[in-house]
Amino acid sequence: MSALHLPRLVFSGDFQADVSTVNNDVRHYDTATFEPRFQQPASGATRNGWWNPSGSGAFRLIGCAVRSVASRRPASPGDEDPVATCSVSGSSSSVSGKLVDLDPQWQMASEIWGLTIRLADARGGTVLEGTFEPAPFRDIHFGRQSPATPNGQAASAVYTSRLTAVRSHLPPGRSPFLDDLLAASDDGTLAVRLTTFGYSTNPRDPRFTLGRVVGALGPARRGEPHRFVLGRRLAPAANGVTAANLTFADAVVDPEAGLVSLDLGNALPITDPVGTTAAIGPLALAVLRTPDRPDGAPGVREGDVVPLGDLLVLGRIDHSSPGWLSRTAGIVDLALDEPAAALAADRPLALVRPVGNEAQVLLRETAGGLLARADDVVLRVDARSDGAVAATVRFCAARWGRPLTAATIRTRLEPRMSGLGGGPRDDPDPPAAPIPDIGVPQEAVELPPSLATDDDGRAELPLTVHDPGRPRGYLDGQVYVIAYSLDGQAREQQHRFDVVVLHVREAYAAPALPTWVDDVRPVLVQYGDLYPIMSRRLVDLGDYDAVREHAAIIDLAFSRPLDDPNHMPVTRELSDARREMLLTWLRDRNGYGERRLRHGPRPSAAAPAAPAPRAASDSAAAPPDDGRGAGDVDEIGGKAVALPQALEQLLRAAGRDD
Amino acid sequence: MLAVDRTLVSGVRDAAGRVDLHRFVQLAIELEHSTVPPYLTAYYTLRPGTNEGIAAAVRGVAVEEMLHLTIAANLLVALGGRPRIAAPGFVPDYPTVLPMNVGHSVVVGLAPYSRELVRDVFMRIEEPELPLHLPGGSADRAADPEFATIGEFYAALRDKLTELGDAAFVGDPTRQVVDRDWFPPDQLFPIRDVATAVTALELVAEEGEGTSSSPLDREGEPAHYYRFAELVHGRRLVTDPSVPQGFSYTGAAVPFDPDGVWPMPPDPRLETHPPGSRSRFVAERFTDCYTRLLQALQLTFDGARAGLRPALGLMFELRLLAQDALATPDADGRPTGLCFRYCPALRTTQGHAPVLGGPAVTPAER
């Protein structure tokens, strides 16, 4: 089951991602060379703290509303169901969710943390709520929107996850749709999918930090992958996009419901931040009658023009009608009768458009109907000094939507990569710190070279993680990328960022009595640098007196669970061992119950490592004068993706054919 | 002085039992809360990094008003009642006369910090029945016999609780909201009986007004009225053996930099900002957060296990959103105002028809 299955609820509206951009450049983590201007907005080509240095990290659903509900029942309740008029928002009683990168050197899997998704009636009363299980975006489509004005950001991406601890506030019988949906799901969970696009990185735009979100809730069953749809996958033949700028799309075939459901929420090009579909002509979903070849080569290729007789057309796509994406979340249900279901059981699905009396294949299912994806995409691992740490990555493989048994998934630890997470090369005044390499030492992560899927098409990749030390110098631990591929499938059929990424935090032995100078300040001053919204408006984390004054709230925030929206640091990158050190320091009390907050330095310690306190940053920020946001080769989608050579490296590595 | 409708005092005195007191204690919750938006507005309009002494003083008073709200809510829970916080009408429609206030009414609005605001509004809210004449201090107003004072109201409540005895405290003791990280146990403690209730209500009165003989409360801090007077005089209140009262406003200077204040238009309303404008957006985010704060408090007093923590987290988000709003110029180039409203069904204007063009608005200091 998935958010593509019925019963399904579709919603859309805006989201706000008030991300901080000071941490977009890894070099800003170096406290020794940090400059106050890194907390200021970009000025011309000088990036400083990029386009939103005062971001709070908040992720909010704003003005979202249910657009449709669809049930399996013959007389579908449709618009009369009370759920059909609900708004969709975040928690009614806690702080906003957060959008978080794993690491400044891996910004291609930003995760939503601490988000509640809540359906509410016209008076604001909660109808249904659940907790969004943290998940990263996938299938990012960088050039989806053209032109990228006025928002300045052309990218689009998909979050696939679960809602957990789902609670309905309606008595049974009140909403037949909700009753059906909850009955179709296990363990109080629901499948959820959010597609986000139209994001504005332009400070002059009234919609700055806002974008559009279209989403769906559907049934979820235990044992299914959480972070991708295990079904049919349409994939561009090469480079992640087709000639018409279409990208990956997921579909599910549900013979029981007599339906094929195709999610085009992320796949079609758009012309504005509202999501108006580009003029790509009439589209239909079809089954290609020509089978793919036994050797795995496609029988019909993307771009081919074929006679109509070679297709079984399932139905037209209504993508050019006004507001289509917002109304439908891009999810299309088409009837699948028995002959069609039989054909689709081992023939590719394809998006086609008419060309005279023939049809051109614009986007088609992966060759041989193959699909293999990792369900655990982003891992945070705390290394230990006294031994290795184990971690597991779960995979699922399918062929034509059915479990693929005894398949081989090859895995490889990517080699050293340079230049990730730095700023654009045209910056006339870049930060002074060097950009660390990632992926080294290689010995820190051990993994088998391949896995075999079981009878259910599943496989688990066991990772053995050793302490990498501090190879990056000014920031903790190391980032490792694991690429994977399914034997018999060309790597181009996978999204280029369909990789597993680890942030391994270095082993750390806390002193029994931590001090501010020796232990605490080196950790906190970095957050003070990177989050000026904290240091200027709430607590300057680099200042002992300010930390003393606000010790109670810091204690609270740093001790909240990782999935609590109040958790600090927002970036969720602090290792447990360092967190414990910090809390030990905060909680050490004297005989009167007062916090000691030892200042230090420890007498026995060598010269303190902490640099001299710097002058606080000027709070009078110059207005940003560069609203272009994106468009720079090195700053894709308003993020520091990678310098080209590192990206090339990854793509080369990923494109290997072994 | 906040003149209180005398019928409220007589109503408390005439209460036949604990249930009769519920509506009066609910009024006390509403009164204590009603001062929070004006004080927070004054605090938030002091730009971060400026006027730090003043900001700390105003913030300190606002935090104590939140403590008083918590104490009053605990009392209602202890008496078997249910505080109503996330409810229409709980947040006054500023500018307004405060709940319970009649007669020499003080009209309270939401306005940026100024000495005049402190002198003409805040000090009147907090004015003791008989203010101490301290050198440099303001003259008191003669108490009007037609009206009661808030001090009398709380005194009547203490007397009635003493009369009703411990049997009136039927509430579930585990529902009492305390949080030692935020309020020391001598300020926020479970209300379980007459003794704890009386102590708590005395604290509320003293922190606001001081005692009849000293401007200091039991923690040795100047009561709210005298703390505000410090800001008006620009000097700290200190012990002064050279004057018979023993205190004078001759301490360290409390400097005020008027340039460090966001000149927010008073009593802002969401509706004044055009739909789709940035100012409407940031104003709505603030209102939404304040609504969540009230809903979090409602859950807290309805027995949620997390206690005050969700509300505390929201206080930080609220402060960030306040700065976002104030740093966003409205259509007239003025800071977007802080709309303290309870809007559980805020239908944002940004939702279905995003503005694609529109005026260029650049946040000055986000």
Side-chain angles (χ1 to χ4, degrees):
Chain A
M1 296 293 177
S2 71
L4 272 62
H5 285 88
L6 301 183
R8 180 178 64 232
L9 172 157
V10 162
F11 64 95
S12 64
D14 288 339
F15 73 95
Q16 184 186 23
D18 187 28
V19 292
S20 166
T21 54
V22 180
N23 67 6
N24 274 21
D25 191 320
V26 65
R27 294 168 291 186
H28 295 165
Y29 279 68
D30 183 15
T31 57
T33 60
F34 191 85
E35 302 174 47
R37 70 181 175 93
F38 299 157
Q39 298 188 339
Q40 303 296 335
S43 172
T46 304
R47 281 306 191 278
N48 292 327
W50 297 49
W51 45 272
N52 193 28
S54 297
S56 62
F59 182 92
R60 304 183 173 104
L61 297 176
I62 294 169
C64 294
V66 176
R67 305 300 171 197
S68 67
V69 296
S71 176
R72 281 168 182 268
R73 296 189 189 206
S76 194
D79 293 346
E80 288 167 21
D81 195 281
V83 169
T85 51
C86 280
S87 63
V88 181
S89 64
S91 167
S92 65
S93 57
S94 74
V95 300
S96 302
K98 302 292 185 290
L99 188 64
V100 178
D101 280 329
L102 174 68
D103 188 274
Q105 298 197 278
W106 195 265
Q107 300 178 28
M108 282 300 102
S110 313
E111 292 172 297
I112 299 170
W113 283 85
L115 177 69
T116 294
I117 292 187
R118 187 173 69 97
L119 306 186
D121 61 25
R123 293 165 55 206
T126 301
V127 169
L128 179 91
E129 61 187 327
T131 306
F132 184 90
E133 189 176 88
F137 70 71
R138 300 181 83 166
D139 287 351
I140 187 165
H141 183 184
F142 285 112
R144 183 183 191 188
Q145 182 194 323
S146 179
T149 53
N151 48 317
Q153 221 258 38
S156 175
V158 185
Y159 296 87
T160 305
S161 189
R162 292 288 176 97
L163 293 188
T164 60
V166 171
R167 303 168 295 287
S168 169
H169 294 238
L170 291 184
R174 183 79 185 80
S175 163
F177 168 78
L178 216 49
D179 293 345
D180 287 354
L181 177 61
L182 295 172
S185 302
D186 287 336
D187 309 327
T189 65
L190 291 176
V192 58
R193 187 158 241 230
L194 308 175
T195 302
T196 54
F197 56 89
Y199 182 64
S200 179
T201 59
N202 176 1
R204 296 176 190 283
D205 182 357
R207 289 175 54 78
F208 180 53
T209 69
L210 285 163
R212 289 292 285 175
V213 58
V214 299
L217 300 181
R221 291 285 191 195
R222 142 178 1 119
E224 297 169 334
H226 292 197
R227 297 183 190 88
F228 68 95
V229 173
L230 183 57
R232 314 283 292 253
R233 180 117 163 122
L234 281 64
N239 303 319
V241 287
T242 69
N245 197 20
L246 275 62
T247 190
F248 296 85
D250 295 317
V252 295
V253 170
D254 187 346
E256 194 185 320
L259 282 179
V260 55
S261 301
L262 170 67
D263 184 355
L264 294 172
N266 193 49
L268 304 184
I270 55 177
T271 59
D272 57 39
V274 187
T276 304
T277 312
I280 51 174
L283 287 182
L285 182 67
V287 186
L288 301 178
R289 293 186 190 275
T290 310
D292 288 341
R293 295 182 200 150
D295 67 356
V300 174
R301 293 178 185 275
E302 177 187 309
D304 285 356
V305 177
V306 297
L308 291 179
D310 287 1
L311 305 173
L312 174 61
V313 174
L314 299 175
R316 283 197 211 158
I317 313 290
D318 191 29
H319 62 288
S320 56
S321 66
W324 173 76
L325 193 50
S326 289
R327 283 187 290 107
T328 66
I331 301 175
V332 181
D333 297 314
L334 296 169
L336 194 72
D337 59 19
E338 276 185 30
L343 188 68
D346 60 359
R347 306 290 162 90
L349 300 173
L351 271 183
V352 299
R353 73 173 161 201
V355 179
N357 288 329
E358 298 181 303
Q360 182 179 31
V361 174
L362 289 188
L363 180 71
R364 55 152 287 164
E365 191 167 358
T366 55
L370 292 175
L371 164 69
R373 300 188 88 179
D375 199 28
D376 306 293
V377 183
V378 171
L379 284 79
R380 295 166 169 81
V381 181
D382 282 6
R384 302 174 58 98
S385 57
D386 57 353
V389 175
T392 303
V393 180
R394 291 165 296 178
F395 289 86
C396 292
R399 180 180 177 87
W400 308 120
R402 293 185 297 276
L404 182 61
T405 62
T408 302
I409 296 173
R410 309 260 170 205
T411 56
R412 188 174 82 166
L413 184 65
E414 290 298 317
R416 174 193 296 266
M417 280 189 271
S418 304
L420 282 156
R425 279 177 300 178
D426 66 355
D427 190 331
D429 200 5
I435 299 174
D437 291 349
I438 69 161
V440 288
Q442 287 262 294
E443 308 76 63
V445 178
E446 294 179 60
L447 66 164
S450 67
L451 311 165
T453 59
D454 65 15
D455 289 349
D456 296 320
R458 295 166 199 285
E460 291 196 349
L461 172 66
L463 300 175
T464 306
V465 181
H466 306 276
D467 183 13
R470 204 176 176 87
R472 298 191 291 174
Y474 55 75
L475 75 166
D476 192 359
Q478 184 56 286
V479 173
Y480 293 92
V481 178
I482 296 169
Y484 60 88
S485 58
L486 180 65
D487 258 13
Q489 184 177 42
R491 183 57 171 84
E492 288 82 12
Q493 300 252 285
Q494 272 179 269
H495 189 278
R496 68 165 94 155
F497 292 119
D498 248 352
V499 292
V500 176
V501 189
L502 286 73
H503 179 208
V504 181
R505 293 80 169 265
E506 67 172 316
Y508 172 77
L513 296 174
T515 76
W516 169 255
V517 172
D518 300 297
D519 313 297
V520 176
R521 186 178 182 281
V523 172
L524 291 187
V525 74
Q526 200 171 51
Y527 296 120
D529 285 349
L530 295 168
Y531 305 102
I533 194 165
M534 277 290 303
S535 48
R536 282 200 215 143
R537 295 183 184 174
L538 298 177
V539 189
D540 183 354
L541 290 174
D543 181 82
Y544 177 80
D545 292 332
V547 170
R548 169 178 279 281
E549 184 185 342
H550 295 94
I553 189 77
I554 295 171
D555 184 339
L556 174 62
F558 277 85
S559 57
R560 302 312 298 152
L562 209 61
D563 58 0
D564 185 313
N566 290 291
H567 177 93
M568 273 184 65
V570 169
T571 43
R572 288 156 171 83
E573 65 201 344
L574 189 63
S575 68
D576 287 348
R578 280 201 160 79
R579 174 184 312 284
E580 281 307 312
M581 177 278 291
L582 188 64
L583 293 176
T584 300
W585 180 76
L586 283 165
R587 291 172 179 178
D588 180 22
R589 292 175 188 264
N590 64 19
Y592 301 99
E594 300 160 342
R595 295 177 197 268
R596 276 204 181 92
L597 305 176
R598 292 170 194 275
H599 189 277
R602 272 187 294 278
S604 58
R614 299 182 307 267
S617 157
D618 181 10
S619 63
D625 63 355
D626 177 5
R628 291 180 304 132
D632 195 299
V633 291
D634 301 326
E635 183 192 324
I636 304 176
K639 302 168 81 70
V641 174
L643 290 176
Q645 72 271 22
L647 193 57
E648 283 302 315
Q649 240 176 357
L650 179 62
L651 295 180
R652 248 197 335 271
R656 78 202 179 281
D657 203 7
D658 51 359
Chain B
M1 185 186 67
L2 208 59
V4 167
D5 186 343
R6 196 164 271 292
T7 63
L8 295 174
V9 176
S10 55
V12 170
R13 288 185 181 135
D14 294 345
R18 62 177 179 84
V19 175
D20 289 352
L21 287 179
H22 287 181
R23 84 177 179 92
F24 298 104
V25 182
Q26 173 68 28
L27 271 173
I29 295 170
E30 290 172 18
L31 173 65
E32 297 297 342
H33 164 265
S34 70
T35 61
V36 172
Y39 294 167
L40 283 182
T41 301
Y43 166 57
Y44 290 149
T45 53
L46 295 164
R47 291 177 191 247
T50 71
N51 292 309
E52 284 173 347
I54 295 173
V58 178
R59 176 179 173 275
V61 174
V63 168
E64 288 188 355
E65 296 297 350
M66 292 184 242
L67 168 66
H68 299 172
L69 181 162
T70 308
I71 288 171
N74 271 344
L75 176 59
L76 185 48
V77 170
L79 295 173
R82 180 191 179 223
R84 279 173 290 106
I85 292 171
F90 183 77
V91 182
D93 189 10
Y94 301 98
T96 185
V97 172
L98 297 186
M100 302 165 67
N101 182 207
V102 291
H104 295 287
S105 37
V106 184
V107 176
V108 179
L110 303 179
Y113 180 87
S114 69
R115 279 190 171 160
E116 293 71 28
L117 176 72
V118 175
R119 185 191 63 206
D120 299 339
V121 180
F122 293 0
M123 286 184 68
R124 288 196 64 196
I125 293 173
E126 302 286 353
E127 186 177 359
E129 194 173 343
L130 296 169
L132 302 166
H133 296 279
L134 304 176
S138 63
D140 65 328
R141 291 172 193 79
D144 188 325
E146 284 184 42
F147 305 109
T149 67
I150 187 65
E152 282 179 79
F153 172 80
Y154 278 125
L157 202 48
R158 293 197 298 266
D159 292 345
K160 177 55 68 175
L161 291 171
T162 305
E163 177 194 318
L164 293 176
D166 289 348
F169 292 81
V170 299
D172 178 352
T174 66
R175 296 269 299 273
Q176 290 289 306
V177 174
V178 293
D179 192 324
R180 294 187 174 207
D181 272 339
W182 306 99
F183 297 108
D186 59 346
Q187 290 181 34
L188 184 61
F189 43 82
I191 295 178
R192 295 197 171 115
D193 49 26
V194 173
T196 47
V198 166
T199 306
L201 291 175
E202 281 171 353
L203 177 112
V204 170
E206 279 176 31
E207 284 192 341
E209 304 181 356
T211 65
S212 56
S213 59
S214 167
L216 306 184
D217 64 21
R218 65 182 62 189
E219 287 93 41
E221 280 191 303
H224 295 177
Y225 176 79
Y226 303 98
R227 265 192 260 175
F228 284 141
E230 290 181 322
L231 306 184
V232 172
H233 297 299
R235 290 275 175 187
R236 293 287 178 208
L237 182 67
V238 288
T239 52
D240 186 349
S242 71
V243 296
Q245 299 90 336
F247 294 90
S248 67
Y249 296 101
T250 55
V254 188
F256 174 48
D257 170 13
D259 291 336
V261 179
W262 291 107
M264 180 193 103
D267 305 314
R269 297 194 168 267
L270 289 175
E271 301 74 31
T272 57
H273 304 294
S277 64
R278 189 70 183 180
S279 49
R280 178 70 167 256
F281 173 74
V282 292
E284 286 181 344
R285 295 289 68 71
F286 182 86
T287 298
D288 173 63
C289 189
Y290 195 66
T291 300
R292 282 184 279 143
L293 176 61
L294 296 177
Q295 289 173 328
L297 287 172
Q298 184 69 62
L299 291 178
T300 298
F301 292 111
D302 285 346
R305 274 183 300 167
L308 283 171
R309 286 176 170 182
L312 287 157
L314 282 161
M315 285 300 297
F316 280 80
E317 186 170 8
L318 190 69
R319 173 151 166 72
L320 297 181
L321 290 169
Q323 295 303 315
D324 260 353
L326 292 166
T328 302
D330 67 10
D332 301 320
R334 301 175 302 178
T336 299
L338 309 177
C339 302
F340 285 87
R341 298 260 296 276
Y342 176 67
C343 296
L346 186 66
R347 290 282 179 162
T348 183
T349 56
Q350 297 263 342
H352 301 198
V355 178
L356 298 180
V361 177
T362 302
E365 192 272 341
R366 277 185 36 79

